[in-house]
Amino acid sequence: MSTLELNGGEVTGTLADSVGIEFFAGTVRANGTIISGDANGVRMALSGQGLAETDLTLDGATLEGRLSSAILVEEGVQADIHVLNNSKLLAGNNILLDVQGASTVTMAVANSTLQGNINIADGSTANLTFDQGQMTGDVLVDGSSSASVTLQNQSQFTGRLDKVASVNIDSHSNWTLTGNDSIGALGMNGGNVTFGAADAPATYYQLNVGALSGNGTFVMKGDFATGEHDFLNVVGASAGDFALAVAASGLDAVAPQQLTLARTGTTDGAQFALAGNSVVDVGTWSYSLANRENGEGGRDWFLDPTTAVISPGARSVLALFNTAPTVWYGELSSLRSRMGELRFNGGQAGGWIRTYGNKYNVADGSGTGYQQQQQGLSLGADARIGESQVLVGVLAGTSQSDLDLNRGTSGTVKSYYVGPYVTWLDSDTGYYVDGVLKFNRFRNESKVNLSDGSRTKGDYDNWGVGGSAEFGRHIKLADGYFIEPFTQLSAVQIQGKRYTLDNDMDADGDRMRSLLGKAGATFGRNFGFGNGAVAQPYVRAAIAHEFASNNEVKVNNNVFNNDLSGSRAEFGAGVAVAMSAQWQVHADFDYSKGEHIEQPWGANVGVRYSW
């Protein structure tokens, strides 16, 4: 048998129905060569002596059939074809390789990308191997022929493999279906089967497999609002462990028990589990995978509605609607703690600035559990009305609260506020009344990490208004000690809002209300240091009760109640220091614990200047 080696250059058939290279047995190797013909780029046929073995190697070469297939193999030829190192096959009829006449072809594609179809007909056989190779197109097998396809070393195949007898997917390679397929045997070793391209329209496919073995991942999707979904059907024997990577959705399932993702032909075959977080996020709920015998000798694997838990998307919605009251109260604490400073200077006019931080743990019983961390800045100024003991002032500030809902889901609430306040402080009796009205603008944003690794987000703005009134008395004891019992009533209402996350999840929050009553006492002592300097350390204890219990939130029309009602105990400690007649500083630390909310810590520090 003869050998032809081409290094560079072009080989072109110019006449009608011409072939770039036509050979009968032997070997052709083309290195960087362009080969084309009017009909085929290469035609392989039986030699006059009946020799059938032919070998074609393309290394960085281009092979084109301008009107027909790039490579035609016929007359019972046994061909060995290598497409290497960015070689290209081009075909006028979109058939890159046409195997006919009871021929047998083994083709290896390495480090090359093909686009087009492969046709096996007339009792022929083709064994196709991709090694770091890519192909977009179909392998077409008629009823008299057979084919096998192997993907290895990160190869990618996108297209139909219908009627292919054997498919093997190894080494992080991937087959992307573009239609319903039925194949003989599927063997996997760390590979993926993807039901439809990610950027393609939402079309759902069924893959029928005669036998399944090995281990790998099936990447699937579904329209859970209609019940349509991808489906893997293993007709015969199966063995191995496989993952189902199901795309998350913001839409609720119509009937989750009907979303059967995989079926095996026997009850003791392959095992399936959900990839990643072991749940699938379907709108408001996340579902786990379950299996059952189907009564036909096989086993069905389906999303189990009895395992439903609140999805990360729904958790983010509930948390954002739930957070505004704790944001509002956290901002208010910086105003309340200035009372010790006012007593140092007899309630003189002045200006002040505070920085503060708070941490809240909200329990699942309130609808969804999360952690909130707040930091902010407040400033204000007040002045005495005439010769009275009444001060009026205005405050303004901003805060940011970061929410952690686990599984990579988070939220942010940025708050901007302003409002007037009034304080009456009777220096003779120690009685005082402190009132504030505060207006807030909230900027809310959630970022949700879904079960399939994708992310979605949503944001909205809303307003809030609330007020607080505190009544108490400063009672002086012997040796500089004092006790200060107090009661406080606060109320806030947050504007309701409707918004949509990027994954089409619908969120509708009713007006959020809070009515908080509090009673407690502060105990401390004044220490004088001369030259007008005084330090006032103190401790505080109180019982607070939230009366509002009905704060309705809808997620995809599922109704939840953000209920923070109940009692909690509060404890605090701090110190107010008068450094001179004009300058006072303050530091305050808080802790509280209740049924729904725990505040592990709260702190604020600031300074006041009196003029």
Side-chain angles (χ1 to χ4, degrees), residues 130 133-135 151-159 161 167-177 188 190-197 217-219:
F130 294 82
Q134 297 185 35
M135 178 172 168
L151 307 177
Q152 60 190 32
N153 201 10
Q154 300 182 359
S155 292
Q156 304 288 324
F157 184 94
T158 301
L161 294 178
V167 178
N168 293 283
I169 307 175
D170 303 328
S171 309
H172 305 290
S173 297
N174 180 77
W175 168 28
T176 299
L177 278 70
M188 302 177 70
N192 294 343
V193 175
T194 301
F195 287 71
T217 301
F218 294 92
V219 183

Coordinates of all heavy atoms in Angstrom, one line a residue, residues 130 133-135 151-159 161 167-177 188 190-197 217-219:
F130 N -13.6 11.4 20.8 CA -13.3 12.8 20.9 C -12.3 13.0 22.1 O -12.7 12.6 23.2 CB -14.5 13.7 21.1 CG -15.4 13.7 19.9 CD1 -16.3 12.7 19.6 CD2 -15.3 14.8 18.9 CE1 -17.1 12.7 18.5 CE2 -16.1 14.8 17.8 CZ -17.0 13.8 17.6
G133 N -11.8 17.3 22.1 CA -12.4 17.7 20.8 C -13.8 18.2 21.1 O -14.4 17.9 22.1
Q134 N -14.3 18.9 20.1 CA -15.7 19.5 20.2 C -16.4 19.3 18.9 O -15.8 19.3 17.8 CB -15.6 21.0 20.5 CG -15.0 21.3 21.8 CD -15.1 22.8 22.1 OE1 -16.0 23.5 21.7 NE2 -14.0 23.4 22.8
M135 N -17.7 19.0 19.0 CA -18.5 18.9 17.8 C -19.9 19.4 18.1 O -20.5 19.1 19.1 CB -18.6 17.4 17.3 CG -19.5 17.2 16.1 SD -19.4 15.6 15.4 CE -20.8 15.6 14.3
L151 N -16.5 10.3 24.5 CA -16.0 11.7 24.8 C -15.1 11.6 26.0 O -15.4 11.0 27.1 CB -17.2 12.6 25.2 CG -18.3 12.7 24.2 CD1 -19.4 13.5 24.7 CD2 -17.9 13.2 22.9
Q152 N -13.9 12.1 25.9 CA -12.9 12.0 27.0 C -12.0 13.2 27.0 O -12.0 14.0 26.0 CB -12.0 10.7 26.8 CG -11.2 10.7 25.5 CD -10.5 9.4 25.3 OE1 -11.1 8.3 25.7 NE2 -9.4 9.4 24.6
N153 N -11.4 13.4 28.1 CA -10.5 14.6 28.3 C -11.1 15.9 28.0 O -10.6 16.7 27.2 CB -9.2 14.3 27.5 CG -8.0 15.1 28.0 OD1 -8.1 15.7 29.0 ND2 -7.0 15.2 27.2
Q154 N -12.3 16.2 28.7 CA -12.9 17.5 28.6 C -13.5 17.8 27.2 O -13.6 18.9 26.7 CB -12.0 18.6 29.0 CG -11.5 18.5 30.4 CD -10.7 19.6 30.9 OE1 -10.4 20.6 30.1 NE2 -10.3 19.6 32.1
S155 N -13.9 16.7 26.5 CA -14.5 16.9 25.2 C -16.0 17.4 25.3 O -16.6 17.2 26.3 CB -14.5 15.6 24.4 OG -13.2 15.3 24.0
Q156 N -16.5 18.0 24.3 CA -17.8 18.6 24.3 C -18.5 18.2 23.0 O -18.0 18.4 21.9 CB -17.8 20.1 24.3 CG -17.0 20.7 25.5 CD -17.8 20.5 26.8 OE1 -19.0 20.6 26.9 NE2 -17.0 20.2 27.9
F157 N -19.7 17.6 23.1 CA -20.5 17.2 22.0 C -21.9 17.8 22.2 O -22.6 17.6 23.2 CB -20.6 15.7 21.8 CG -21.4 15.3 20.6 CD1 -20.7 15.0 19.4 CD2 -22.8 15.2 20.5 CE1 -21.4 14.6 18.2 CE2 -23.5 14.8 19.4 CZ -22.7 14.5 18.2
T158 N -22.4 18.5 21.2 CA -23.7 19.1 21.2 C -24.5 18.7 20.0 O -24.2 19.0 18.9 CB -23.6 20.7 21.2 OG1 -22.9 21.1 22.3 CG2 -25.0 21.3 21.3
G159 N -25.5 17.9 20.2 CA -26.3 17.4 19.1 C -27.0 16.1 19.4 O -27.0 15.6 20.6
L161 N -27.7 12.0 19.2 CA -27.0 10.7 19.1 C -28.0 9.6 19.0 O -27.8 8.5 19.5 CB -26.0 10.5 20.3 CG -24.8 11.4 20.5 CD1 -24.1 11.1 21.7 CD2 -23.9 11.3 19.2
V167 N -22.5 5.0 24.1 CA -22.0 6.3 24.4 C -21.2 6.2 25.7 O -21.8 5.8 26.7 CB -23.1 7.4 24.5 CG1 -22.5 8.7 24.8 CG2 -23.9 7.5 23.2
N168 N -20.0 6.7 25.7 CA -19.1 6.7 26.9 C -18.7 8.2 27.1 O -18.1 8.8 26.1 CB -17.9 5.8 26.7 CG -18.3 4.4 26.6 OD1 -18.7 3.7 27.7 ND2 -18.4 3.8 25.4
I169 N -18.9 8.7 28.3 CA -18.5 10.1 28.6 C -17.6 10.0 29.8 O -18.0 9.7 30.9 CB -19.8 10.9 28.9 CG1 -20.8 10.7 27.7 CG2 -19.4 12.3 29.1 CD1 -22.1 11.4 28.0
D170 N -16.4 10.4 29.6 CA -15.4 10.4 30.6 C -14.7 11.7 30.9 O -14.9 12.7 30.1 CB -14.3 9.4 30.2 CG -14.8 8.0 29.9 OD1 -15.8 7.6 30.6 OD2 -14.3 7.3 29.1
S171 N -14.0 11.8 32.0 CA -13.0 12.9 32.2 C -13.6 14.3 32.0 O -13.0 15.1 31.3 CB -11.8 12.7 31.2 OG -11.3 11.4 31.3
H172 N -14.7 14.5 32.7 CA -15.3 15.9 32.7 C -15.7 16.3 31.3 O -15.8 17.5 31.0 CB -14.3 16.9 33.3 CG -13.8 16.6 34.6 ND1 -14.6 16.6 35.8 CD2 -12.6 16.1 35.0 CE1 -13.9 16.2 36.8 NE2 -12.6 15.9 36.4
S173 N -16.0 15.4 30.5 CA -16.6 15.7 29.2 C -18.1 15.8 29.3 O -18.7 15.5 30.3 CB -16.3 14.6 28.2 OG -14.9 14.5 28.0
N174 N -18.7 16.4 28.2 CA -20.1 16.7 28.3 C -20.8 16.5 26.9 O -20.3 16.8 25.9 CB -20.3 18.2 28.7 CG -21.8 18.6 28.7 OD1 -22.5 18.3 29.7 ND2 -22.3 19.3 27.7
W175 N -22.0 15.8 27.0 CA -22.9 15.7 25.9 C -24.1 16.6 26.1 O -24.8 16.4 27.1 CB -23.3 14.3 25.6 CG -24.4 14.0 24.7 CD1 -24.7 14.8 23.6 CD2 -25.3 13.0 24.6 NE1 -25.8 14.3 22.9 CE2 -26.2 13.2 23.5 CE3 -25.5 11.8 25.5 CZ2 -27.2 12.3 23.2 CZ3 -26.5 11.0 25.2 CH2 -27.4 11.2 24.0
T176 N -24.4 17.5 25.2 CA -25.6 18.4 25.3 C -26.6 17.9 24.3 O -26.4 18.0 23.1 CB -25.2 19.9 25.1 OG1 -24.3 20.3 26.1 CG2 -26.4 20.7 25.2
L177 N -27.8 17.5 24.8 CA -28.9 17.1 24.0 C -29.5 18.3 23.3 O -29.6 19.3 23.9 CB -29.9 16.3 24.8 CG -29.7 14.8 25.1 CD1 -28.6 14.7 26.1 CD2 -31.0 14.2 25.6
M188 N -20.6 6.2 32.0 CA -20.1 7.5 32.4 C -19.0 7.3 33.5 O -19.1 6.5 34.3 CB -21.2 8.4 33.0 CG -22.3 8.7 32.0 SD -23.7 9.6 32.6 CE -22.9 11.2 32.8
G190 N -17.4 10.3 35.4 CA -17.1 11.7 35.7 C -17.6 12.7 34.7 O -17.2 13.8 34.7
G191 N -18.4 12.2 33.7 CA -18.9 13.1 32.7 C -20.2 13.6 32.9 O -20.9 13.3 33.9
N192 N -20.7 14.5 32.0 CA -22.0 15.1 32.2 C -22.9 14.9 30.9 O -22.4 14.8 29.8 CB -21.9 16.6 32.4 CG -21.3 17.0 33.7 OD1 -21.1 16.2 34.6 ND2 -20.8 18.3 33.7
V193 N -24.2 14.8 31.2 CA -25.2 14.8 30.1 C -26.1 16.0 30.4 O -26.7 16.1 31.5 CB -26.0 13.5 30.0 CG1 -27.1 13.7 28.9 CG2 -25.1 12.3 29.6
T194 N -26.1 17.0 29.5 CA -26.9 18.2 29.7 C -28.1 18.2 28.8 O -28.0 18.0 27.6 CB -26.0 19.4 29.4 OG1 -24.9 19.4 30.3 CG2 -26.8 20.7 29.6
F195 N -29.3 18.4 29.3 CA -30.5 18.3 28.6 C -30.8 19.7 28.0 O -31.5 20.5 28.6 CB -31.7 17.9 29.5 CG -31.7 16.4 29.8 CD1 -30.7 15.9 30.7 CD2 -32.6 15.5 29.3 CE1 -30.7 14.5 31.0 CE2 -32.6 14.2 29.5 CZ -31.6 13.7 30.4
G196 N -30.2 20.1 26.9 CA -30.4 21.3 26.3 C -29.4 22.4 26.6 O -29.0 22.5 27.8
A197 N -29.0 23.2 25.7 CA -28.0 24.2 25.9 C -28.6 25.3 26.8 O -29.8 25.6 26.8 CB -27.6 24.8 24.6
T217 N -23.1 13.1 36.0 CA -24.1 14.1 36.3 C -25.0 14.3 35.2 O -24.6 14.5 34.0 CB -23.5 15.4 36.8 OG1 -22.6 15.2 37.9 CG2 -24.5 16.5 37.1
F218 N -26.3 14.4 35.4 CA -27.3 14.7 34.4 C -27.8 16.1 34.8 O -28.4 16.4 35.9 CB -28.5 13.7 34.4 CG -28.1 12.4 34.0 CD1 -27.7 11.4 34.9 CD2 -28.1 12.0 32.6 CE1 -27.3 10.1 34.5 CE2 -27.7 10.8 32.2 CZ -27.3 9.8 33.1
V219 N -27.6 17.1 33.9 CA -28.0 18.5 34.1 C -29.3 18.7 33.4 O -29.5 18.6 32.2 CB -26.9 19.4 33.5 CG1 -27.3 20.9 33.7 CG2 -25.5 19.1 34.0

